[in-house]
Amino acid sequence: MRLVSWTVPKPAEPMVLEERDETAGSGEALIKVAGCGVCHTDLGYYYDGVPTRHPFPLTLGHEVSGTVAEAGPGAEHWIGKSVIVPAVIPCGACDACTSGNGRICPKQTFPGCDVHGGFSSHLRVPAQGLCPVPDLSDRSANPTGLDLAELSVIADAVSTPYQAILRSGLDRGDLAVFVGVGGLGGFGVQISAAMGATVAAIDVNAERLEWMARHGASLTLRSDELDFKSLRRAVQRLAAERGIPTWRQRIFETSGTVAGQTTAFGLLGQGGHLSVVGFTPGKVEIRLSNVMALDATIQGNWGCLPEHYPTILRLVLSGAIAVRPFVERRPMASINQTFEDLRAHRILRRIILIPEH
Ligand SMILES: [Zn+2]
Ligand SMILES: [Zn+2]
């Protein structure tokens, strides 16, 4: 199939629209892109020299929903289906996958890094792990009336914090603290609240914090106005009011900044848990021995296993996690301007690029 892709010739060079031929191989699907979200990680590859595994020229984009247009042998039953493409697709067959560790599958496919991604009319991915989307015109299955393009953000911005929250063991009545409530953190706040946790949100942006106060956060704190000690005092006051000990507090670093990581580490209390969800190539100066002295846990989190997607999709379609107030659509032809706007922090919502082709 002839497809049209926004290609990065070399990092930081303007993306150009190029035609390319792709054929779905055995077990693969060619997906007509409905929408592709723009992630902080795309900016890392584009501007900051974060290495991709596929060499440039490369098409970025790993937050995709769409419709299967073509499929190779063994995947024909997917043709015509609406799907969400997980940002991380484990191979499903290696030792890591068969022992329940598909997150670190060495043969995983990460679109826009391992293979050409979703800033394109179509993309080619392994069909296993695709998450089928029910008929969205059926209002009983889709009461909030979301469309397929809006569901693209499930592929990373919603699913990645979901898996981090699941692995943290967050339980009803616990405290979840999100440092950074942009794309991932904003959805993390909502997921935690839906699970019955008390939630605190920390960010530099007052508007984003206002949204979070309406969508599950009991406490919102401005990290650009409060020093670290004031932040920590405010979080502990909330915990004390609700009778939540430090060992039932889960800190999520979702800003992907050095300042955010420093704050998140500092919030760890005895028996606490810190989940590193955001990414920055920057380095943080911390006293790692605190982890020992506090008997605390720090856990990284890479993507989300495809097996969790159907549950996440149900949470979104039911309205337990609001998507529409947190996303903004733009034509895919605005991709170069959109990357610049995101880099300059001129955009508050998750951008979904809609292909014209
Ligand atoms: Zn991402
Ligand atoms: Zn594998």
Side-chain angles (χ1 to χ4, degrees), residues 16-348:
V16 288
L17 199 56
E18 279 185 354
E19 292 193 8
R20 198 174 67 239
D21 283 313
E22 291 270 22
T23 311
S26 178
E28 289 182 332
L30 251 178
I31 291 154
K32 178 162 177 45
V33 176
C36 182
V38 186
C39 176
H40 193 69
T41 306
D42 295 312
L43 303 189
Y45 295 141
Y46 190 66
Y47 292 113
D48 303 328
V50 176
T52 54
R53 286 184 288 260
H54 184 290
F56 289 92
L58 174 67
T59 298
L60 299 174
H62 55 267
E63 204 171 74
V64 179
S65 57
T67 307
V68 178
E70 255 182 46
E76 296 92 340
H77 58 287
W78 283 102
I79 292 173
K81 292 216 164 76
S82 297
V83 294
I84 298 164
V85 182
V88 175
I89 308 167
C91 81
C94 72
D95 286 348
C97 284
T98 53
S99 62
N101 293 294
R103 299 178 307 276
I104 52 165
C105 168
K107 292 182 191 158
Q108 64 181 238
T109 304
F110 184 72
C113 174
D114 291 303
V115 296
H116 290 295
F119 299 134
S120 182
S121 64
H122 299 75
L123 89 164
R124 179 167 61 92
V125 289
Q128 101 263 351
L130 289 174
C131 174
V133 173
D135 177 8
L136 296 176
S137 65
D138 173 3
R139 287 309 274 253
S140 66
N142 181 25
T144 55
L146 290 164
D147 67 22
L148 187 57
E150 287 171 311
L151 298 180
S152 62
V153 296
I154 289 177
D156 187 10
V158 185
S159 57
T160 299
Y162 179 86
Q163 177 168 283
I165 290 163
L166 216 58
R167 294 174 79 195
S168 79
L170 184 78
D171 210 347
R172 183 167 288 281
D174 288 355
L175 175 66
V177 183
F178 284 83
V179 182
V181 289
L184 274 68
F187 291 115
V189 166
Q190 296 194 62
I191 296 162
S192 303
M195 287 178 168
T198 294
V199 186
I202 300 174
D203 202 285
V204 294
N205 187 280
E207 197 178 343
R208 268 207 295 250
L209 288 171
E210 256 168 52
W211 301 344
M212 294 336 305
R214 289 198 297 271
H215 288 275
S218 299
L219 175 69
T220 59
L221 297 165
R222 289 275 299 270
S223 50
D224 55 333
E225 287 182 342
L226 298 167
D227 62 13
F228 172 71
K229 280 189 174 156
S230 309
L231 288 176
R232 189 171 57 189
R233 251 198 316 272
V235 170
Q236 288 315 322
R237 204 180 307 127
L238 172 69
E241 280 165 19
R242 309 271 172 121
I244 306 168
T246 52
W247 51 270
R248 290 185 64 189
Q249 299 175 15
R250 308 280 186 270
I251 320 293
F252 298 92
E253 206 305 304
T254 37
S255 76
T257 65
V258 169
Q261 290 184 345
T262 307
T263 298
F265 184 80
L267 290 172
L268 267 178
Q270 268 198 315
H273 185 109
L274 166 61
S275 184
V276 182
V277 191
F279 177 82
T280 168
K283 291 182 182 170
V284 183
E285 196 173 313
I286 53 169
R287 190 169 68 203
L288 196 58
S289 304
N290 286 12
V291 180
M292 169 267 173
L294 295 169
D295 194 39
T297 305
I298 301 183
Q299 184 169 61
N301 186 71
W302 178 252
C304 177
L305 288 173
E307 67 200 50
H308 298 312
Y309 275 66
T311 306
I312 300 165
L313 178 60
R314 272 196 299 276
L315 280 170
V316 168
L317 289 179
S318 72
I321 302 167
V323 165
R324 189 160 289 158
F326 297 92
V327 300
E328 178 186 330
R329 294 156 183 274
R330 289 192 176 186
M332 201 169 274
S334 77
I335 190 165
N336 286 302
Q337 184 62 46
T338 295
F339 269 52
E340 283 299 315
D341 289 346
L342 284 166
R343 188 192 196 194
H345 305 288
R346 287 192 285 261
I347 300 174
L348 290 180

